[in-house]
Amino acid sequence: MIRRNDHVGDPVGMAFLESPETDGDAVLARLREYLGDKLKLVKAEVSHGEITVEVESRGWTEEGARMAAAARDLYQKGARRAALSMYRDALELDPLNAEAILGLGFALANQEKYAEAFAALKRAREFGADGIELLIAMGRCAVGLERGANAIAYYEEALKIEPRNFVARRALRALGHKPATPGKESAAVRSGRD
């Protein structure tokens, strides 16, 4: 699933502005270019906020998963450069490996290579990765790329999952955005119980 908010200002984001009825070929061309030559576009359904795509890929799924796990172990042991290379190799074996692209995104974000990290994290999210760590990393990359509105959206989405998350709350305050107080009910909700 390709989300509109993840692609503000890039070529895929332009696909949301084109009408699938009148510019269907242009939308498909943008999607094919974005997906690359390792993924074959089978089907695309465009709505206002997201594009659901079905793709085919020839990959070595098991080998890619093993290589991604080995890369994660290397990264945790401090062999960061070797881990980055292994994550990339895992993606060569299996271009749809969400664990490999997510690990690559986190590693690049930790090196403050925000553009590369953001691209990898978007792909990981599109391949089904989710969770608060992903959203916080995407927010951090958006801040590094000076895309404050996107960063706020990612941090707020993280707070929907975990309302008391300190990292997301602190990041929102640093962006000049006051996060909602967790656990507080509005007066309208409280008065409705009387």
Side-chain angles (χ1 to χ4, degrees), residues 9-100:
D10 69 16
V12 175
M14 296 300 293
F16 288 99
L17 302 176
E18 297 170 333
S19 170
E21 291 82 23
T22 59
D23 295 327
D25 291 337
V27 171
L28 292 176
R30 287 184 193 281
L31 291 173
R32 283 188 185 101
E33 182 181 338
Y34 173 67
L35 294 171
D37 54 356
K38 294 188 186 234
L39 299 175
K40 179 183 175 188
L41 181 63
V42 175
K43 179 181 169 184
E45 293 179 19
V46 181
S47 69
H48 174 69
E50 57 194 37
I51 300 173
T52 304
V53 296
E54 185 178 319
V55 296
E56 286 181 356
S57 170
R58 292 186 197 159
W60 302 89
T61 308
E62 291 177 22
E63 291 81 359
R66 279 196 292 273
M67 189 166 284
R72 184 181 60 246
D73 290 342
L74 280 174
Y75 193 82
Q76 290 172 346
K77 292 176 182 174
R80 297 189 179 350
R81 186 173 296 167
L84 285 173
S85 178
M86 283 190 92
Y87 279 131
R88 288 186 173 107
D89 290 343
L91 288 168
E92 287 293 320
L93 291 172
D94 180 12
L96 293 174
N97 188 323
E99 181 184 352

Side-chain angles (χ1 to χ4, degrees), residues 101-122:
I101 195 77
L102 183 63
L104 179 64
F106 285 151
L108 290 168
N110 287 336
Q111 292 181 351
E112 297 182 0
K113 295 181 178 179
Y114 296 123
E116 289 179 78
F118 193 61
L121 294 169
K122 286 190 293 189

